Amino acid sequence: MARTERIFNLMQALRSMPPPVTAAALAEALGVTPRTIYRDIETLRNMGAVIDGEAGFGYLLIEDASMPPLNFDDAELEAVVLGLRDIAQVNEIGLADAAKSALTKLRARLPQSQSHRIDYPVHGAKRYFSLPEPGIDADTLRRATWEERSIQFDYTDAEGKQTVREVDPLLVAMMDTSLCLLAFCHLRQDFRAFRLDRMRNLELTGLSFRPRRAPMLRDCLKKMG
């Protein structure tokens, strides 16, 4: 296989395989050695692709410099607009203004033949209830999760028992009646769900669990169903 073709196939594999994908899995898919994958990953990075991860943990394609500009078909655009309009009604996670801003930017980037679909979509979203307000700052939690930094907070469970928890935050899940943080709990040495409205006094511990968030989240979702 020519090197140019191999590099192209590696990019396609990073796009399509469930992240984080290990060098061993990429090597098997492309019929090369893991050492070749390591070299080709560095080549792609030098070409402008942003690839997170490292040997031993797997790789995740964050930004693909070769992808074309925004190009949605009608159904894809409808799904994006529906999701953003739904989020715009949920103030509790601090993303309402961001969703509205994203819609404005999306409208500006789309061709005129599609931009009107943002203002007059076929599908709509309406919420008739509010989720319990988080007891901590949602922006701080979101930043800690993205940056893969451990956090500590006071937590009150359903029986009213209070504990101090140190966790690796993985995902904020929007449930029907509450917002929950899925995380790896250092105290229990296992994955746990914590309601944001029962959390108080959130602090960053200074510890990092980078670059393990992606495989940990995959294992967490698998275990918790």
Side-chain angles (χ1 to χ4, degrees), residues 151-155 163-165 167 194 199-202:
I151 58 174
Q152 179 177 293
F153 53 86
D154 298 331
Y155 191 71
T163 55
V164 177
R165 299 298 183 101
V167 307
F194 302 93
M199 297 167 59
R200 296 290 187 275
N201 304 319
L202 175 66

Side-chain angles (χ1 to χ4, degrees), residues 5-216:
E5 181 183 359
R6 190 180 71 239
I7 293 292
F8 174 81
N9 290 341
L10 175 58
M11 181 65 82
Q12 290 295 94
L14 287 168
R15 289 173 182 152
S16 60
M17 296 176 72
V21 54
T22 64
L26 289 167
E28 181 178 359
L30 300 182
V32 296
T33 66
R35 184 181 296 275
T36 299
I37 295 297
Y38 299 144
R39 290 199 302 265
D40 290 349
I41 288 289
E42 289 306 310
T43 298
L44 286 173
R45 285 171 169 165
N46 292 334
M47 292 170 61
V50 180
I51 302 173
D52 198 9
E54 60 185 33
F57 292 104
Y59 297 96
L60 171 65
L61 181 64
I62 303 297
E63 183 178 328
D64 182 354
S66 69
M67 291 292 283
L70 285 178
N71 183 20
F72 298 104
D73 65 30
D74 290 342
E76 290 172 338
L77 180 59
E78 194 74 21
V80 170
V81 173
L82 177 61
L84 288 173
R85 290 198 179 281
D86 185 37
I87 291 297
Q89 299 181 62
V90 184
N91 294 321
E92 293 81 359
I93 55 175
L95 292 178
D97 290 341
K100 295 172 185 176
S101 176
L103 280 171
T104 300
K105 292 179 179 179
L106 185 61
R107 182 188 293 107
R109 290 285 305 277
L110 288 169
Q112 187 175 4
S113 60
Q114 284 190 313
S115 60
H116 70 284
R117 296 182 183 274
I118 293 181
D119 297 313
Y120 306 102
V122 174
H123 298 86
K126 179 64 177 177
R127 288 180 175 265
Y128 292 95
F129 60 88
S130 296
L131 300 175
E133 186 174 348
I136 46 87
D137 181 64
D139 286 337
T140 300
L141 174 59
R142 187 160 42 247
R143 187 170 64 254
T145 306
W146 275 120
E147 295 176 358
E148 300 177 64
R149 301 170 65 186
S150 299
I151 58 174
Q152 179 177 293
F153 53 86
D154 298 331
Y155 191 71
T156 304
D157 64 19
E159 285 73 38
K161 182 180 178 181
Q162 297 182 349
T163 55
V164 177
R165 299 298 183 101
E166 183 175 321
V167 307
D168 299 331
L170 303 176
L171 175 74
V172 176
M174 189 185 305
M175 307 298 189
D176 289 337
T177 58
S178 66
L179 294 165
C180 288
L181 170 66
L182 303 185
F184 181 81
C185 179
H186 294 191
L187 177 65
R188 305 302 184 194
Q189 286 295 296
D190 201 357
F191 299 112
R192 290 288 188 273
F194 302 93
R195 285 180 49 154
L196 268 61
D197 57 306
R198 296 176 179 169
M199 297 167 59
R200 296 290 187 275
N201 304 319
L202 175 66
E203 297 179 354
L204 301 177
T205 67
L207 299 176
S208 172
F209 61 100
R210 189 178 182 85
R212 293 181 287 121
R213 175 176 173 255
M216 290 172 68

